[in-house]
Amino acid sequence: MLDFRDVTAIAGVGYTPFTKDSGASTLTLACRAVLAALEDAGLTADDVDGLATHRVGDSAPPALVGPALGLTDLAWHLDQFGGGSVSHAVVGQAALAVAAGMAETVVCYRAINARSEFRMGGTGRGVPASPEVQYQAPYGYVAPPQQYAMYARAHMLKYGTKAEHFGQLAVTQRANAAKNPRALMRTPITMDDYLASRWIAEPFRLLDCCLETDGACAVVVTTAERARSLRRPPVLISAAAWGGGTSHLSGPAADPTVTAAAALAPRLYAQAGLGPAEIDVAELYDCFTYSVIVQLEDYGFCAKGEGGPYVASGATALDGPLPVNTHGGFLSEGYVHGVNHIAEAVSQLRGDAGDRQVPGAEVALSTAQPGYILPATSALILRRS
Amino acid sequence: MPYRPEPDRDSREWWQRIATREFVVQRCDTCGTTRFPARAFCPACRTEAWHWQEVEPEGRVESWIVNHQAFMPGAREPYVVVMVRLAAVPGCLVYGNWDGERPPEAGERVRASYNRIDDTLTLVNWAPAAG
């Protein structure tokens, strides 16, 4: 089997500003983020021999970004269909390509005008084509906040999870965002603010939902050996896993309070040779507050059903035993469909996260959408070199 | 209604039967596993032979939402969408609008109620089961 653990590294990260209206095409955003990540790594576009992205018909594929940046001889590229559940698989596949010697320097990016052009779910455009949609959309059930709210209530009914548990996540992550100059929303909020925010789909309020955002984010994947000679401290890719599980859409479904992440987590930890106790910081896909709670359980940070009380204990705050979404997450920093979570993990492990830095962070978990809506997920474990 | 379902080659007959208020699921001819939604293959034994089986249109409430935002053009609000575990297919969660005077309750028994849209389309909603 290919020797994979710590063989590749993330050598640079790049962002465009996160806004409500970028005023730019997704192609332009992608190019800006790719170049910013290369600049961070101390590389130029001439060093790139691979490009990778994921999208749902709402971004610029490598076949457009390559020519736009004058890359005439890419050795490897990946244009993965999928939303947030494959965001981390893209980086994992790039790492595999680099480890296998198919490419040396792959830039993984996501460019998205998710606020001004392409909102997720049914809002603002046609119903997505999927055979499952026929059993849901006729009932006015089509958008991710509705679907996640449905699962969140199932968790509340089964385990006694409370609105205040969701609220604690929103409040904690906003406090982190207040220390993040990049974040779209930086004004602190209280539990009262959370409870007073308007209903979207009960049990979800506005502050349970992430911020749809215009922006792009990119990371540079290369060999660990080469990364050590570049500008920034390399962050090693210790494990990358992706896969599928039981659909909660129309069946067969066993338990709607368990996600595909529960099946993936053991494989991920085994690859890295460590367990949840060794994770110093976690950037967990927070399309909604509840997605963090179910992942805390499914990645083994607490027992099934204990996610709410775990959050209420303060465990996920910056000064807690498991700081979660240190940048504010999708709820407060912005929504770049998974890649900004990976970039924040890199910042934490390089020690350049500024006021929100977790002291001594050495190992980070970053995750994709845990497998609701479509039964697929992906995750990375990253380690300071 | 905001969205008219587009049956596929697997599901067309299911919709036709529902339009006549015949509530069916698929039953595998090889291993007897019941399933929904309609698919060519049995997920338990991976064979293709099956038949429709009429079952009691019943289940239990596993969750619900109260929708307050118009995510689709023409959607009225607020409205309740309920997630039901189908009695005939224990692994299956199905959706529908709530047809009740009061909110749903966790685990309560529900029965399909048919919402006839026109000659060719009927939707399945869920109402509290009598008794």
Side-chain angles (χ1 to χ4, degrees):
Chain A
M1 186 171 170
L2 181 70
D3 182 12
F4 178 73
R5 185 190 304 175
D6 298 341
V7 166
T8 61
I10 295 177
V13 300
Y15 302 86
T16 69
F18 296 166
T19 67
K20 295 179 179 177
D21 187 351
S22 69
S25 66
T26 50
L27 175 59
T28 299
L29 294 178
C31 292
R32 287 174 181 163
V34 167
L35 292 176
L38 289 166
E39 166 71 20
D40 184 54
L43 295 168
T44 73
D46 292 331
D47 296 305
V48 175
D49 61 358
L51 286 174
T53 196
H54 69 101
R55 63 193 177 103
V56 283
D58 56 357
S59 184
L64 290 180
V65 172
L69 291 175
L71 309 177
T72 56
D73 187 24
L74 290 178
W76 186 85
H77 69 188
L78 174 71
D79 183 12
Q80 171 108 39
F81 179 83
S85 55
V86 297
S87 54
H88 291 55
V90 166
V91 173
Q93 289 174 76
L96 272 182
V98 168
M102 294 192 71
E104 189 179 34
T105 307
V106 180
V107 186
C108 305
Y109 63 89
R110 178 70 164 110
I112 187 168
N113 280 317
R115 187 71 159 262
S116 64
E117 277 191 316
F118 301 106
R119 302 194 70 170
M120 287 288 138
T123 307
R125 56 175 170 163
V127 173
S130 155
E132 309 288 3
V133 164
Q134 63 187 304
Y135 306 106
Q136 300 177 41
Y139 306 107
Y141 182 71
V142 69
Q146 300 175 308
Q147 294 160 325
Y148 262 88
M150 188 73 84
Y151 303 124
R153 190 191 296 275
H155 199 277
M156 296 169 91
L157 294 172
K158 187 165 183 179
Y159 295 113
T161 308
K162 297 180 170 71
E164 286 78 4
H165 297 148
F166 302 146
Q168 187 65 48
L169 273 168
V171 169
T172 302
Q173 292 194 198
R174 183 62 62 82
N176 297 348
K179 299 179 176 186
N180 175 7
R182 205 169 41 240
L184 262 179
M185 302 291 275
R186 301 189 62 195
T187 306
I189 55 172
T190 64
M191 185 65 78
D192 286 344
D193 293 332
Y194 167 81
L195 292 170
S197 69
R198 67 182 167 88
W199 289 119
I200 300 296
E202 293 177 53
F204 276 176
R205 299 167 166 87
L206 180 67
L207 291 176
D208 286 300
C209 303
C210 72
L211 302 166
E212 290 173 293
T213 304
D214 286 9
C217 188
V219 300
V220 179
V221 176
T222 188
T223 64
E225 183 184 0
R226 180 150 178 268
R228 290 194 177 92
S229 69
L230 298 178
R231 177 180 290 165
R232 306 301 301 268
V235 168
L236 303 175
I237 299 174
S238 291
W242 54 94
T246 297
S247 171
H248 301 290
L249 263 170
S250 305
D255 183 347
T257 66
V258 177
T259 70
L264 177 139
R267 269 192 289 133
L268 182 79
Y269 289 130
Q271 253 192 59
L274 47 77
E278 279 77 49
I279 302 294
D280 297 316
V281 59
E283 314 297 346
L284 305 178
Y285 201 93
D286 57 328
C287 43
F288 304 97
T289 50
Y290 166 69
S291 62
V292 176
I293 285 179
V294 74
Q295 287 180 90
L296 289 168
E297 299 169 358
D298 288 351
Y299 280 99
F301 296 106
C302 60
K304 185 44 84 180
E306 291 296 315
Y310 184 79
V311 169
S313 75
T316 66
L318 267 188
D319 59 356
L322 182 74
V324 170
N325 294 339
T326 49
H327 51 331
F330 299 154
L331 297 176
S332 288
E333 184 191 63
Y335 176 75
V336 195
H337 231 174
V339 181
N340 54 322
H341 277 34
I342 301 168
E344 172 68 7
V346 170
S347 276
Q348 288 288 341
L349 298 178
R350 297 197 310 203
D352 60 21
D355 291 345
R356 64 186 190 282
Q357 179 67 46
V358 174
E362 291 193 3
V363 181
L365 168 69
S366 185
T367 66
Q369 197 272 118
Y372 285 128
I373 304 177
L374 280 178
T377 190
S378 54
L380 300 168
I381 289 177
L382 306 176
R383 192 164 71 78
R384 186 161 74 186
S385 180
Chain B
M1 67 179 293
Y3 172 83
R4 192 177 179 89
E6 294 171 21
D8 55 40
R9 293 184 187 199
D10 292 328
S11 70
R12 187 165 293 118
E13 190 174 343
W14 185 83
W15 283 104
Q16 288 168 352
R17 286 172 183 257
I18 287 296
T20 66
R21 304 195 170 200
E22 184 190 353
F23 193 93
V24 290
V25 298
Q26 284 169 294
R27 186 174 175 90
C28 176
D29 288 344
T30 307
C31 74
T33 299
T34 52
R35 64 182 190 260
F36 181 88
R39 291 278 190 274
F41 275 85
C42 173
C45 72
R46 291 101 182 185
T47 57
E48 287 199 53
W50 58 271
H51 62 276
W52 295 111
Q53 178 167 321
E54 188 167 11
V55 295
E56 286 299 310
E58 287 189 354
R60 288 187 185 273
V61 171
E62 189 113 350
S63 186
W64 69 93
I65 62 168
V66 185
N67 190 76
H68 290 264
Q69 181 149 324
F71 286 107
M72 300 177 69
R76 67 209 187 286
E77 47 170 312
Y79 57 87
V80 173
V81 183
V82 63
M83 181 168 83
V84 171
R85 189 174 292 277
L86 214 53
V89 189
C92 181
L93 300 168
V94 300
Y95 303 91
N97 289 124
W98 179 243
D99 180 12
E101 298 297 313
R102 53 162 179 82
E105 292 171 16
E108 81 168 289
R109 281 182 54 229
V110 290
R111 191 169 177 86
S113 68
Y114 296 96
N115 177 17
R116 186 177 180 279
I117 305 297
D118 57 34
D119 285 348
T120 59
L121 178 62
T122 294
L123 299 177
V124 174
N125 290 329
W126 297 96

